[in-house]
Amino acid sequence: MPIVVNLDVMLARRKMRSRELAEHVGITEQNLSLLKSGKVRGVRFDTLERICEALQCQPGDLLEWQPSSIPSEP
């Protein structure tokens, strides 16, 4: 998947546990875990805003685009 979620990195930098972030954001730890693993199809902007607020970061600190290793056909 070309979009990589760096939520674990930001949690470590802020010395915050997933449980704390989930409580602050108002989502379940299960949903946060799915987001961290990149197994979600999307994230609501208001959820992303609350995560950024809690971690004092920008959306680009959490999400990264990496080019696909498989070339697309014309």
Side-chain angles (χ1 to χ4, degrees):
M1 174 184 232
I3 300 295
V4 177
V5 180
N6 295 317
L7 190 51
D8 278 334
V9 174
M10 288 307 297
L11 283 167
R13 286 182 182 167
R14 301 300 189 250
K15 295 181 173 69
M16 184 182 285
R17 294 185 178 263
S18 294
R19 177 179 298 241
E20 290 176 74
L21 181 61
E23 288 174 5
H24 183 82
V25 173
I27 61 176
T28 64
E29 286 184 70
Q30 176 70 22
N31 283 341
L32 187 62
S33 177
L34 290 171
L35 179 59
K36 286 181 359 182
S37 68
K39 294 183 180 178
V40 295
R41 291 193 174 272
V43 60
R44 294 174 55 131
F45 281 159
D46 62 327
T47 303
L48 184 58
E49 179 182 357
R50 290 192 307 265
I51 291 171
C52 288
E53 179 184 312
L55 296 174
Q56 292 295 293
C57 68
Q58 295 294 315
D61 296 328
L62 301 173
L63 304 173
E64 176 184 353
W65 176 77
Q66 291 183 352
S68 177
S69 60
I70 302 171
S72 59
E73 297 204 21

